Amino acid sequence: MAHRKNFESGNGTGPEHAGSPNGRTDQPAAHVTLIPGDGVGPEVTGAAVRVLEAAGVQITWDLQQAGAAALNKSGSAIPDSLLKSLRRTSVALKGPLETQVGQGYRSINVYLRKTFNLYANLRPTRSFEGVQAPFRNVDLVVVRESTEDLYAGIEHQVTPGVVESVKVITARASTRIARFAFEYARRHGRKSVTAIHKANIMKLSDGLFLKCARRVARDYKDVRYDEQIVDAACMRLVTNPHAFDVLLLENLYGDIVSDLCAGLVGGLGMVPGANYGGKGAIFEAVHGTAPDIAGKNMANPVAAILSGAMLADYLGDKDSAFRIRNAVGDVLGAGRTLTPDLGGSATTTEMTEAILNSMTNVEARV
Ligand code: NAD
């Protein structure tokens, strides 16, 4: 696809993410790396691939393994063939990858985001009719910096019984993510950006993050800017989520707050995501491997399918992205074919097929 730039070219600081500038669909198939992932990953990415193909998005998939699946198969959690594929395609649809708690190899997600400079993790979180959730009409966008903070992985033992984890915040990365959030807000007609922080305690690190956000905000007078301390913001989110629009967060707060936001709209099975750099992107649901339901054909495929719609947008096929979102909305709204997390008894396959049918029926009516 002519409009996409390779992961390793350019300076990666441009605001040209969150949708390709090129809306053409008459292009040759895009090469996209497909990483099924661990746990429920293969089930939900499989659903997303079926829906993208049925929608007619022109993609040639390059199937690659990562994480536990790759470790079992090839002895490496990040095989060279995966890295080569990503360098070649610069875009991927990815399932969740397992990371052990307190031991084992470092997160492959963090590695991929850092290696390919995918600094902006975008998680649009919205309510759907027909989904039981604490609130209606929630429409939030989480913008999470994803190359630094405590995720830099700088940890050491000072002496037995004392360890340190280093929180790295730089002006460069903070300015870049703030500009991404404001640019996204402006392009998508969003009213406000709220920077969420703990600068009352971490005066230097979160203080720098805020300083950068304030500086960038001056260039976007058309978008309201405000700030909230992370603990108070969490309370506000669960009492009045409508008070928020675009949320701008460092890496760790962004991770935690985006799962909280998922809870507002029906759970982790509902929220898609994308990791953008200036030169490539990886699309993935917010949720993890869901080991408790893996292999049971019970996982909600919506988050992965909506991540697929974000991929279609990025590839310039806005029409397919629109039809995928409509079909998901129709199936959720009808409320007949829902997975157990949404209070139904449908399998992943049944819900995916209902979405496929809805797309076909709409096409037949047009
Ligand atoms: P999780 O998101 O896997 O699961 C949390 C809860 O949500 C579970 O009860 C699960 O069943 C449910 N859930 C998640 N996705 C669902 C879906 N599509 N449909 C229905 N229910 C769903 O979080 P966790 O249990 O904390 O993490 C499990 C593993 O996933 C860990 O190894 C973690 O490191 C990894 N993880 C990976 C990613 C990623 O690759 N991007 C993200 C988060 C967690």
Side-chain angles (χ1 to χ4, degrees):
M1 304 286 284
H3 63 268
R4 283 183 292 107
K5 290 185 262 169
N6 191 273
F7 272 138
E8 290 178 348
S9 63
N11 65 12
T13 54
E16 66 273 30
H17 3 255
S20 144
N22 182 341
R24 289 176 55 198
T25 54
D26 58 341
Q27 298 193 3
H31 290 264
V32 175
T33 304
L34 175 64
I35 308 167
D38 299 320
V40 296
E43 298 164 66
V44 296
T45 48
V49 168
R50 285 183 73 187
V51 171
L52 283 164
E53 287 179 349
V57 186
Q58 298 296 303
I59 295 175
T60 302
W61 298 105
D62 182 11
L63 180 64
Q64 296 289 333
Q65 300 294 343
L71 190 67
N72 294 338
K73 197 167 161 219
S74 67
S76 166
I78 320 173
D80 281 347
S81 60
L82 165 71
L83 299 177
K84 275 192 196 135
S85 172
L86 289 171
R87 281 190 197 104
R88 198 171 54 246
T89 64
S90 76
V91 60
L93 179 66
K94 180 185 145 313
L97 301 173
E98 180 186 306
T99 312
Q100 289 179 0
V101 175
Q103 57 176 8
Y105 53 79
R106 283 190 57 202
S107 164
I108 310 301
N109 298 312
V110 173
Y111 177 86
L112 292 176
R113 289 173 195 151
K114 279 194 77 167
T115 303
F116 294 110
N117 206 14
L118 300 171
Y119 65 88
N121 188 195
L122 185 85
R123 294 171 159 181
T125 307
R126 56 172 285 234
S127 306
F128 279 92
E129 287 298 321
V131 175
Q132 295 277 349
F135 297 94
R136 293 163 68 99
N137 302 322
V138 173
D139 185 5
L140 301 170
V141 180
V142 172
V143 174
R144 166 191 176 197
E145 203 292 323
S146 45
T147 60
E148 52 180 36
D149 192 2
L150 284 161
Y151 282 64
I154 306 170
E155 290 193 311
H156 53 262
Q157 178 175 287
V158 180
T159 185
V162 182
V163 296
E164 283 181 351
S165 288
V166 180
K167 171 163 172 156
V168 179
I169 298 292
T170 65
R172 178 174 176 272
S174 302
T175 302
R176 182 173 66 171
I177 195 67
R179 196 161 291 287
F180 179 98
F182 277 98
E183 200 58 35
Y184 181 91
R186 179 176 276 172
R187 283 187 185 202
H188 293 83
R190 295 276 174 172
K191 286 189 291 296
S192 70
V193 171
T194 304
I196 294 180
H197 65 93
K198 192 76 185 170
N200 50 331
I201 303 299
M202 280 160 279
K203 294 176 194 290
L204 279 184
S205 53
D206 286 18
L208 176 60
F209 185 78
L210 281 188
K211 245 185 235 162
C212 297
R214 285 172 195 163
R215 212 172 289 141
V216 171
R218 283 189 219 127
D219 296 338
Y220 295 83
K221 301 271 189 245
D222 48 325
V223 180
R224 200 173 67 241
Y225 171 70
D226 62 0
E227 297 168 356
Q228 284 191 28
I229 295 176
V230 62
D231 35 348
C234 288
M235 191 280 295
R236 279 236 183 115
L237 277 164
V238 299
T239 51
N240 183 16
H242 306 108
F244 294 87
D245 195 346
V246 176
L247 312 183
L248 167 64
L249 307 102
E250 293 168 5
N251 208 342
L252 180 62
Y253 307 145
D255 191 22
I256 297 167
V257 169
S258 50
D259 274 32
L260 182 153
C261 289
L264 302 173
V265 297
L268 283 165
M270 295 298 299
V271 185
N275 305 283
Y276 295 108
K279 317 149 208 162
I282 295 181
F283 297 84
E284 61 177 335
V286 168
H287 67 75
T289 59
D292 48 339
I293 55 169
K296 296 183 180 162
N297 203 12
M298 278 171 70
N300 181 347
V302 164
I305 290 171
L306 292 177
S307 304
M310 292 174 83
L311 165 63
D313 266 335
Y314 180 78
L315 296 177
D317 191 346
K318 309 245 173 243
D319 178 52
S320 296
F322 181 76
R323 284 184 300 115
I324 292 170
R325 290 188 183 105
N326 270 354
V328 167
D330 286 347
V331 169
L332 293 169
R336 282 189 298 274
T337 320
L338 304 178
T339 43
D341 58 307
L342 300 179
S345 57
T347 62
T348 309
T349 313
E350 286 164 348
M351 194 165 173
T352 306
E353 278 166 4
I355 292 166
L356 291 168
N357 285 338
S358 170
M359 250 173 10
T360 319
N361 291 342
V362 170
E363 270 150 37
R365 281 203 302 273
V366 171

